[in-house]
PDB file of all heavy atoms in Angstrom:
ATOM      1  N   VAL A   1     -45.916  48.240   1.358  1.00  0.00           N
ATOM      2  CA  VAL A   1     -45.826  49.665   1.700  1.00  0.00           C
ATOM      3  C   VAL A   1     -45.525  50.469   0.434  1.00  0.00           C
ATOM      4  O   VAL A   1     -44.566  50.221  -0.272  1.00  0.00           O
ATOM      5  CB  VAL A   1     -44.740  49.912   2.737  1.00  0.00           C
ATOM      6  CG1 VAL A   1     -44.569  51.413   3.007  1.00  0.00           C
ATOM      7  CG2 VAL A   1     -45.066  49.138   4.036  1.00  0.00           C
ATOM      8  N   GLY A   2     -46.409  51.461   0.160  1.00  0.00           N
ATOM      9  CA  GLY A   2     -46.201  52.361  -0.978  1.00  0.00           C
ATOM     10  C   GLY A   2     -46.352  51.743  -2.356  1.00  0.00           C
ATOM     11  O   GLY A   2     -46.160  52.418  -3.376  1.00  0.00           O
ATOM     12  N   GLU A   3     -46.779  50.487  -2.425  1.00  0.00           N
ATOM     13  CA  GLU A   3     -46.859  49.782  -3.671  1.00  0.00           C
ATOM     14  C   GLU A   3     -48.011  50.302  -4.526  1.00  0.00           C
ATOM     15  O   GLU A   3     -49.118  50.534  -4.040  1.00  0.00           O
ATOM     16  CB  GLU A   3     -47.043  48.277  -3.418  1.00  0.00           C
ATOM     17  CG  GLU A   3     -47.058  47.401  -4.676  1.00  0.00           C
ATOM     18  CD  GLU A   3     -47.024  45.935  -4.288  1.00  0.00           C
ATOM     19  OE1 GLU A   3     -47.970  45.513  -3.570  1.00  0.00           O
ATOM     20  OE2 GLU A   3     -46.082  45.272  -4.687  1.00  0.00           O
ATOM     21  N   ASP A   4     -47.793  50.452  -5.824  1.00  0.00           N
ATOM     22  CA  ASP A   4     -48.829  50.731  -6.810  1.00  0.00           C
ATOM     23  C   ASP A   4     -49.509  49.427  -7.151  1.00  0.00           C
ATOM     24  O   ASP A   4     -49.004  48.666  -8.038  1.00  0.00           O
ATOM     25  CB  ASP A   4     -48.233  51.407  -8.015  1.00  0.00           C
ATOM     26  CG  ASP A   4     -49.314  51.826  -9.063  1.00  0.00           C
ATOM     27  OD1 ASP A   4     -50.433  51.275  -8.983  1.00  0.00           O
ATOM     28  OD2 ASP A   4     -48.969  52.612  -9.951  1.00  0.00           O
ATOM     29  N   PHE A   5     -50.590  49.090  -6.477  1.00  0.00           N
ATOM     30  CA  PHE A   5     -51.222  47.785  -6.668  1.00  0.00           C
ATOM     31  C   PHE A   5     -51.765  47.619  -8.048  1.00  0.00           C
ATOM     32  O   PHE A   5     -51.793  46.565  -8.650  1.00  0.00           O
ATOM     33  CB  PHE A   5     -52.257  47.502  -5.598  1.00  0.00           C
ATOM     34  CG  PHE A   5     -52.683  46.070  -5.559  1.00  0.00           C
ATOM     35  CD1 PHE A   5     -51.989  45.154  -4.788  1.00  0.00           C
ATOM     36  CD2 PHE A   5     -53.787  45.604  -6.306  1.00  0.00           C
ATOM     37  CE1 PHE A   5     -52.341  43.827  -4.763  1.00  0.00           C
ATOM     38  CE2 PHE A   5     -54.155  44.299  -6.261  1.00  0.00           C
ATOM     39  CZ  PHE A   5     -53.436  43.386  -5.492  1.00  0.00           C
ATOM     40  N   ASN A   6     -52.256  48.738  -8.643  1.00  0.00           N
ATOM     41  CA  ASN A   6     -52.786  48.645  -9.996  1.00  0.00           C
ATOM     42  C   ASN A   6     -51.704  48.249 -10.965  1.00  0.00           C
ATOM     43  O   ASN A   6     -51.970  47.456 -11.896  1.00  0.00           O
ATOM     44  CB  ASN A   6     -53.397  50.004 -10.373  1.00  0.00           C
ATOM     45  CG  ASN A   6     -54.659  50.341  -9.595  1.00  0.00           C
ATOM     46  OD1 ASN A   6     -55.354  49.450  -9.154  1.00  0.00           O
ATOM     47  ND2 ASN A   6     -54.896  51.619  -9.391  1.00  0.00           N
ATOM     48  N   ALA A   7     -50.470  48.752 -10.752  1.00  0.00           N
ATOM     49  CA  ALA A   7     -49.403  48.355 -11.662  1.00  0.00           C
ATOM     50  C   ALA A   7     -49.021  46.900 -11.449  1.00  0.00           C
ATOM     51  O   ALA A   7     -48.718  46.177 -12.417  1.00  0.00           O
ATOM     52  CB  ALA A   7     -48.184  49.265 -11.375  1.00  0.00           C
ATOM     53  N   LEU A   8     -49.069  46.405 -10.213  1.00  0.00           N
ATOM     54  CA  LEU A   8     -48.796  44.996  -9.978  1.00  0.00           C
ATOM     55  C   LEU A   8     -49.867  44.130 -10.654  1.00  0.00           C
ATOM     56  O   LEU A   8     -49.513  43.164 -11.350  1.00  0.00           O
ATOM     57  CB  LEU A   8     -48.783  44.740  -8.451  1.00  0.00           C
ATOM     58  CG  LEU A   8     -48.689  43.285  -8.029  1.00  0.00           C
ATOM     59  CD1 LEU A   8     -47.359  42.672  -8.484  1.00  0.00           C
ATOM     60  CD2 LEU A   8     -48.801  43.148  -6.525  1.00  0.00           C
ATOM     61  N   ALA A   9     -51.133  44.521 -10.479  1.00  0.00           N
ATOM     62  CA  ALA A   9     -52.186  43.700 -11.116  1.00  0.00           C
ATOM     63  C   ALA A   9     -52.128  43.716 -12.628  1.00  0.00           C
ATOM     64  O   ALA A   9     -52.487  42.731 -13.262  1.00  0.00           O
ATOM     65  CB  ALA A   9     -53.544  44.258 -10.635  1.00  0.00           C
ATOM     66  N   ALA A  10     -51.598  44.791 -13.183  1.00  0.00           N
ATOM     67  CA  ALA A  10     -51.504  44.914 -14.633  1.00  0.00           C
ATOM     68  C   ALA A  10     -50.516  43.943 -15.236  1.00  0.00           C
ATOM     69  O   ALA A  10     -50.490  43.741 -16.462  1.00  0.00           O
ATOM     70  CB  ALA A  10     -51.146  46.346 -15.026  1.00  0.00           C
ATOM     71  N   GLN A  11     -49.674  43.318 -14.408  1.00  0.00           N
ATOM     72  CA  GLN A  11     -48.716  42.316 -14.891  1.00  0.00           C
ATOM     73  C   GLN A  11     -49.371  40.969 -15.147  1.00  0.00           C
ATOM     74  O   GLN A  11     -48.756  40.049 -15.661  1.00  0.00           O
ATOM     75  CB  GLN A  11     -47.595  42.168 -13.886  1.00  0.00           C
ATOM     76  CG  GLN A  11     -46.769  43.431 -13.684  1.00  0.00           C
ATOM     77  CD  GLN A  11     -45.666  43.225 -12.667  1.00  0.00           C
ATOM     78  OE1 GLN A  11     -44.855  42.304 -12.767  1.00  0.00           O
ATOM     79  NE2 GLN A  11     -45.601  44.100 -11.654  1.00  0.00           N
ATOM     80  N   TYR A  12     -50.657  40.866 -14.774  1.00  0.00           N
ATOM     81  CA  TYR A  12     -51.434  39.627 -14.987  1.00  0.00           C
ATOM     82  C   TYR A  12     -52.568  39.943 -15.954  1.00  0.00           C
ATOM     83  O   TYR A  12     -53.013  41.073 -16.065  1.00  0.00           O
ATOM     84  CB  TYR A  12     -52.018  39.162 -13.641  1.00  0.00           C
ATOM     85  CG  TYR A  12     -50.981  38.733 -12.646  1.00  0.00           C
ATOM     86  CD1 TYR A  12     -50.316  39.694 -11.849  1.00  0.00           C
ATOM     87  CD2 TYR A  12     -50.665  37.415 -12.466  1.00  0.00           C
ATOM     88  CE1 TYR A  12     -49.346  39.305 -10.963  1.00  0.00           C
ATOM     89  CE2 TYR A  12     -49.670  37.030 -11.561  1.00  0.00           C
ATOM     90  CZ  TYR A  12     -49.034  37.972 -10.812  1.00  0.00           C
ATOM     91  OH  TYR A  12     -48.060  37.566  -9.902  1.00  0.00           O
ATOM     92  N   PRO A  13     -53.052  38.914 -16.663  1.00  0.00           N
ATOM     93  CA  PRO A  13     -54.163  39.124 -17.604  1.00  0.00           C
ATOM     94  C   PRO A  13     -55.381  39.751 -16.898  1.00  0.00           C
ATOM     95  O   PRO A  13     -55.725  39.369 -15.779  1.00  0.00           O
ATOM     96  CB  PRO A  13     -54.467  37.719 -18.106  1.00  0.00           C
ATOM     97  CG  PRO A  13     -53.172  36.986 -17.971  1.00  0.00           C
ATOM     98  CD  PRO A  13     -52.522  37.561 -16.738  1.00  0.00           C
ATOM     99  N   THR A  14     -56.015  40.708 -17.589  1.00  0.00           N
ATOM    100  CA  THR A  14     -57.195  41.367 -17.052  1.00  0.00           C
ATOM    101  C   THR A  14     -58.366  40.373 -17.060  1.00  0.00           C
ATOM    102  O   THR A  14     -58.602  39.684 -18.023  1.00  0.00           O
ATOM    103  CB  THR A  14     -57.551  42.585 -17.909  1.00  0.00           C
ATOM    104  OG1 THR A  14     -56.447  43.496 -17.887  1.00  0.00           O
ATOM    105  CG2 THR A  14     -58.810  43.319 -17.357  1.00  0.00           C
ATOM    106  N   MET A  15     -59.095  40.363 -15.962  1.00  0.00           N
ATOM    107  CA  MET A  15     -60.255  39.455 -15.849  1.00  0.00           C
ATOM    108  C   MET A  15     -61.497  40.099 -16.427  1.00  0.00           C
ATOM    109  O   MET A  15     -61.619  41.312 -16.458  1.00  0.00           O
ATOM    110  CB  MET A  15     -60.430  39.067 -14.379  1.00  0.00           C
ATOM    111  CG  MET A  15     -59.183  38.500 -13.734  1.00  0.00           C
ATOM    112  SD  MET A  15     -58.444  37.123 -14.708  1.00  0.00           S
ATOM    113  CE  MET A  15     -59.634  35.830 -14.387  1.00  0.00           C
ATOM    114  N   PRO A  16     -62.493  39.293 -16.861  1.00  0.00           N
ATOM    115  CA  PRO A  16     -63.616  39.822 -17.631  1.00  0.00           C
ATOM    116  C   PRO A  16     -64.522  40.769 -16.843  1.00  0.00           C
ATOM    117  O   PRO A  16     -65.184  41.613 -17.439  1.00  0.00           O
ATOM    118  CB  PRO A  16     -64.380  38.566 -18.070  1.00  0.00           C
ATOM    119  CG  PRO A  16     -63.869  37.453 -17.233  1.00  0.00           C
ATOM    120  CD  PRO A  16     -62.449  37.817 -16.857  1.00  0.00           C
ATOM    121  N   ALA A  17     -64.564  40.661 -15.517  1.00  0.00           N
ATOM    122  CA  ALA A  17     -65.433  41.573 -14.761  1.00  0.00           C
ATOM    123  C   ALA A  17     -65.046  43.029 -14.969  1.00  0.00           C
ATOM    124  O   ALA A  17     -65.911  43.941 -14.879  1.00  0.00           O
ATOM    125  CB  ALA A  17     -65.407  41.215 -13.251  1.00  0.00           C
ATOM    126  N   ARG A  18     -63.786  43.294 -15.260  1.00  0.00           N
ATOM    127  CA  ARG A  18     -63.282  44.656 -15.427  1.00  0.00           C
ATOM    128  C   ARG A  18     -64.051  45.383 -16.534  1.00  0.00           C
ATOM    129  O   ARG A  18     -64.288  46.611 -16.391  1.00  0.00           O
ATOM    130  CB  ARG A  18     -61.801  44.631 -15.754  1.00  0.00           C
ATOM    131  CG  ARG A  18     -61.171  45.976 -16.028  1.00  0.00           C
ATOM    132  CD  ARG A  18     -61.199  46.840 -14.780  1.00  0.00           C
ATOM    133  NE  ARG A  18     -60.764  48.207 -15.061  1.00  0.00           N
ATOM    134  CZ  ARG A  18     -60.863  49.219 -14.213  1.00  0.00           C
ATOM    135  NH1 ARG A  18     -61.392  48.991 -12.993  1.00  0.00           N
ATOM    136  NH2 ARG A  18     -60.470  50.409 -14.538  1.00  0.00           N
ATOM    137  N   ALA A  19     -64.478  44.690 -17.547  1.00  0.00           N
ATOM    138  CA  ALA A  19     -65.189  45.343 -18.651  1.00  0.00           C
ATOM    139  C   ALA A  19     -66.544  45.850 -18.231  1.00  0.00           C
ATOM    140  O   ALA A  19     -67.135  46.683 -18.924  1.00  0.00           O
ATOM    141  CB  ALA A  19     -65.355  44.373 -19.829  1.00  0.00           C
ATOM    142  N   GLY A  20     -67.051  45.400 -17.076  1.00  0.00           N
ATOM    143  CA  GLY A  20     -68.396  45.857 -16.602  1.00  0.00           C
ATOM    144  C   GLY A  20     -68.325  47.018 -15.672  1.00  0.00           C
ATOM    145  O   GLY A  20     -69.371  47.421 -15.136  1.00  0.00           O
ATOM    146  N   VAL A  21     -67.132  47.594 -15.405  1.00  0.00           N
ATOM    147  CA  VAL A  21     -67.050  48.776 -14.537  1.00  0.00           C
ATOM    148  C   VAL A  21     -67.609  50.007 -15.246  1.00  0.00           C
ATOM    149  O   VAL A  21     -67.197  50.343 -16.373  1.00  0.00           O
ATOM    150  CB  VAL A  21     -65.617  49.028 -14.078  1.00  0.00           C
ATOM    151  CG1 VAL A  21     -65.522  50.308 -13.223  1.00  0.00           C
ATOM    152  CG2 VAL A  21     -65.071  47.826 -13.322  1.00  0.00           C
ATOM    153  N   MET A  22     -68.548  50.657 -14.597  1.00  0.00           N
ATOM    154  CA  MET A  22     -69.206  51.858 -15.154  1.00  0.00           C
ATOM    155  C   MET A  22     -68.906  53.023 -14.238  1.00  0.00           C
ATOM    156  O   MET A  22     -68.927  52.841 -12.992  1.00  0.00           O
ATOM    157  CB  MET A  22     -70.704  51.597 -15.326  1.00  0.00           C
ATOM    158  CG  MET A  22     -71.054  50.325 -16.095  1.00  0.00           C
ATOM    159  SD  MET A  22     -72.792  49.909 -16.011  1.00  0.00           S
ATOM    160  CE  MET A  22     -73.484  51.261 -16.996  1.00  0.00           C
ATOM    161  N   THR A  23     -68.706  54.191 -14.799  1.00  0.00           N
ATOM    162  CA  THR A  23     -68.307  55.372 -13.977  1.00  0.00           C
ATOM    163  C   THR A  23     -69.167  56.571 -14.381  1.00  0.00           C
ATOM    164  O   THR A  23     -69.382  56.823 -15.569  1.00  0.00           O
ATOM    165  CB  THR A  23     -66.808  55.704 -14.143  1.00  0.00           C
ATOM    166  OG1 THR A  23     -66.055  54.568 -13.765  1.00  0.00           O
ATOM    167  CG2 THR A  23     -66.418  56.921 -13.306  1.00  0.00           C
ATOM    168  N   ARG A  24     -69.597  57.307 -13.346  1.00  0.00           N
ATOM    169  CA  ARG A  24     -70.347  58.523 -13.586  1.00  0.00           C
ATOM    170  C   ARG A  24     -70.252  59.404 -12.355  1.00  0.00           C
ATOM    171  O   ARG A  24     -70.325  58.937 -11.213  1.00  0.00           O
ATOM    172  CB  ARG A  24     -71.829  58.220 -13.870  1.00  0.00           C
ATOM    173  CG  ARG A  24     -72.664  59.451 -14.128  1.00  0.00           C
ATOM    174  CD  ARG A  24     -74.101  59.058 -14.490  1.00  0.00           C
ATOM    175  NE  ARG A  24     -74.912  60.257 -14.683  1.00  0.00           N
ATOM    176  CZ  ARG A  24     -76.202  60.215 -15.067  1.00  0.00           C
ATOM    177  NH1 ARG A  24     -76.799  59.026 -15.255  1.00  0.00           N
ATOM    178  NH2 ARG A  24     -76.876  61.308 -15.257  1.00  0.00           N
ATOM    179  N   ASP A  25     -70.002  60.702 -12.580  1.00  0.00           N
ATOM    180  CA  ASP A  25     -69.967  61.693 -11.491  1.00  0.00           C
ATOM    181  C   ASP A  25     -68.944  61.302 -10.428  1.00  0.00           C
ATOM    182  O   ASP A  25     -69.194  61.543  -9.227  1.00  0.00           O
ATOM    183  CB  ASP A  25     -71.345  61.919 -10.888  1.00  0.00           C
ATOM    184  CG  ASP A  25     -72.340  62.438 -11.892  1.00  0.00           C
ATOM    185  OD1 ASP A  25     -71.934  63.160 -12.853  1.00  0.00           O
ATOM    186  OD2 ASP A  25     -73.536  62.146 -11.767  1.00  0.00           O
ATOM    187  N   GLY A  26     -67.842  60.724 -10.797  1.00  0.00           N
ATOM    188  CA  GLY A  26     -66.796  60.430  -9.843  1.00  0.00           C
ATOM    189  C   GLY A  26     -66.971  59.121  -9.055  1.00  0.00           C
ATOM    190  O   GLY A  26     -66.184  58.833  -8.166  1.00  0.00           O
ATOM    191  N   TYR A  27     -67.982  58.324  -9.401  1.00  0.00           N
ATOM    192  CA  TYR A  27     -68.234  57.034  -8.739  1.00  0.00           C
ATOM    193  C   TYR A  27     -68.330  55.925  -9.762  1.00  0.00           C
ATOM    194  O   TYR A  27     -68.734  56.154 -10.895  1.00  0.00           O
ATOM    195  CB  TYR A  27     -69.494  57.101  -7.885  1.00  0.00           C
ATOM    196  CG  TYR A  27     -69.305  57.906  -6.627  1.00  0.00           C
ATOM    197  CD1 TYR A  27     -69.506  59.288  -6.631  1.00  0.00           C
ATOM    198  CD2 TYR A  27     -68.920  57.283  -5.461  1.00  0.00           C
ATOM    199  CE1 TYR A  27     -69.279  60.030  -5.487  1.00  0.00           C
ATOM    200  CE2 TYR A  27     -68.715  58.021  -4.290  1.00  0.00           C
ATOM    201  CZ  TYR A  27     -68.925  59.376  -4.316  1.00  0.00           C
ATOM    202  OH  TYR A  27     -68.699  60.107  -3.190  1.00  0.00           O
ATOM    203  N   SER A  28     -67.980  54.711  -9.336  1.00  0.00           N
ATOM    204  CA  SER A  28     -67.980  53.559 -10.221  1.00  0.00           C
ATOM    205  C   SER A  28     -68.816  52.440  -9.595  1.00  0.00           C
ATOM    206  O   SER A  28     -68.939  52.337  -8.377  1.00  0.00           O
ATOM    207  CB  SER A  28     -66.548  53.037 -10.495  1.00  0.00           C
ATOM    208  OG  SER A  28     -65.792  54.025 -11.141  1.00  0.00           O
ATOM    209  N   TRP A  29     -69.353  51.551 -10.471  1.00  0.00           N
ATOM    210  CA  TRP A  29     -70.087  50.390  -9.997  1.00  0.00           C
ATOM    211  C   TRP A  29     -69.985  49.344 -11.070  1.00  0.00           C
ATOM    212  O   TRP A  29     -69.548  49.592 -12.210  1.00  0.00           O
ATOM    213  CB  TRP A  29     -71.551  50.742  -9.709  1.00  0.00           C
ATOM    214  CG  TRP A  29     -72.311  51.239 -10.896  1.00  0.00           C
ATOM    215  CD1 TRP A  29     -73.103  50.477 -11.706  1.00  0.00           C
ATOM    216  CD2 TRP A  29     -72.386  52.569 -11.415  1.00  0.00           C
ATOM    217  NE1 TRP A  29     -73.647  51.299 -12.698  1.00  0.00           N
ATOM    218  CE2 TRP A  29     -73.197  52.576 -12.519  1.00  0.00           C
ATOM    219  CE3 TRP A  29     -71.771  53.793 -11.014  1.00  0.00           C
ATOM    220  CZ2 TRP A  29     -73.476  53.715 -13.262  1.00  0.00           C
ATOM    221  CZ3 TRP A  29     -72.032  54.933 -11.759  1.00  0.00           C
ATOM    222  CH2 TRP A  29     -72.863  54.904 -12.856  1.00  0.00           C
ATOM    223  N   LEU A  30     -70.403  48.093 -10.768  1.00  0.00           N
ATOM    224  CA  LEU A  30     -70.399  47.034 -11.722  1.00  0.00           C
ATOM    225  C   LEU A  30     -71.748  46.876 -12.388  1.00  0.00           C
ATOM    226  O   LEU A  30     -72.778  46.924 -11.679  1.00  0.00           O
ATOM    227  CB  LEU A  30     -70.043  45.702 -11.020  1.00  0.00           C
ATOM    228  CG  LEU A  30     -68.575  45.276 -10.941  1.00  0.00           C
ATOM    229  CD1 LEU A  30     -68.522  43.860 -10.350  1.00  0.00           C
ATOM    230  CD2 LEU A  30     -67.869  45.314 -12.243  1.00  0.00           C
ATOM    231  N   SER A  31     -71.733  46.689 -13.670  1.00  0.00           N
ATOM    232  CA  SER A  31     -72.998  46.461 -14.415  1.00  0.00           C
ATOM    233  C   SER A  31     -73.645  45.161 -13.928  1.00  0.00           C
ATOM    234  O   SER A  31     -72.979  44.257 -13.388  1.00  0.00           O
ATOM    235  CB  SER A  31     -72.717  46.360 -15.912  1.00  0.00           C
ATOM    236  OG  SER A  31     -72.024  45.183 -16.214  1.00  0.00           O
ATOM    237  N   LYS A  32     -74.930  45.066 -14.169  1.00  0.00           N
ATOM    238  CA  LYS A  32     -75.673  43.850 -13.763  1.00  0.00           C
ATOM    239  C   LYS A  32     -75.098  42.621 -14.431  1.00  0.00           C
ATOM    240  O   LYS A  32     -74.919  41.575 -13.768  1.00  0.00           O
ATOM    241  CB  LYS A  32     -77.156  44.029 -14.093  1.00  0.00           C
ATOM    242  CG  LYS A  32     -78.042  42.874 -13.638  1.00  0.00           C
ATOM    243  CD  LYS A  32     -79.454  43.042 -14.093  1.00  0.00           C
ATOM    244  CE  LYS A  32     -80.100  44.281 -13.465  1.00  0.00           C
ATOM    245  NZ  LYS A  32     -81.545  44.424 -13.855  1.00  0.00           N
ATOM    246  N   ASP A  33     -74.839  42.698 -15.694  1.00  0.00           N
ATOM    247  CA  ASP A  33     -74.319  41.518 -16.422  1.00  0.00           C
ATOM    248  C   ASP A  33     -72.978  41.073 -15.848  1.00  0.00           C
ATOM    249  O   ASP A  33     -72.779  39.874 -15.606  1.00  0.00           O
ATOM    250  CB  ASP A  33     -74.193  41.876 -17.912  1.00  0.00           C
ATOM    251  CG  ASP A  33     -73.679  40.645 -18.721  1.00  0.00           C
ATOM    252  OD1 ASP A  33     -74.420  39.650 -18.825  1.00  0.00           O
ATOM    253  OD2 ASP A  33     -72.547  40.729 -19.217  1.00  0.00           O
ATOM    254  N   ALA A  34     -72.051  42.008 -15.652  1.00  0.00           N
ATOM    255  CA  ALA A  34     -70.720  41.664 -15.113  1.00  0.00           C
ATOM    256  C   ALA A  34     -70.825  41.107 -13.735  1.00  0.00           C
ATOM    257  O   ALA A  34     -70.090  40.165 -13.350  1.00  0.00           O
ATOM    258  CB  ALA A  34     -69.812  42.875 -15.169  1.00  0.00           C
ATOM    259  N   PHE A  35     -71.714  41.667 -12.937  1.00  0.00           N
ATOM    260  CA  PHE A  35     -71.846  41.212 -11.537  1.00  0.00           C
ATOM    261  C   PHE A  35     -72.330  39.739 -11.528  1.00  0.00           C
ATOM    262  O   PHE A  35     -71.792  38.926 -10.820  1.00  0.00           O
ATOM    263  CB  PHE A  35     -72.836  42.105 -10.808  1.00  0.00           C
ATOM    264  CG  PHE A  35     -72.794  41.994  -9.315  1.00  0.00           C
ATOM    265  CD1 PHE A  35     -72.193  42.976  -8.543  1.00  0.00           C
ATOM    266  CD2 PHE A  35     -73.366  40.921  -8.666  1.00  0.00           C
ATOM    267  CE1 PHE A  35     -72.122  42.876  -7.170  1.00  0.00           C
ATOM    268  CE2 PHE A  35     -73.317  40.798  -7.274  1.00  0.00           C
ATOM    269  CZ  PHE A  35     -72.702  41.796  -6.517  1.00  0.00           C
TER     270      PHE A  35
END
């Protein structure tokens, strides 16, 4: 309840898929390579 999950996840090493997140016009998606 009320937890900042992004902050919790940040306590662990970032996984490589994260580098493939692309954002435009307020929306995000995964690049083909990362997917």
Side-chain angles (χ1 to χ4, degrees):
V1 176
E3 184 172 58
D4 183 343
F5 194 86
N6 292 332
L8 174 63
Q11 298 179 53
Y12 295 81
T14 301
M15 306 308 288
R18 177 65 187 171
V21 176
M22 308 170 70
T23 301
R24 181 176 178 179
D25 298 330
Y27 286 87
S28 298
W29 63 95
L30 270 186
S31 70
K32 184 184 296 184
D33 181 68
F35 196 104

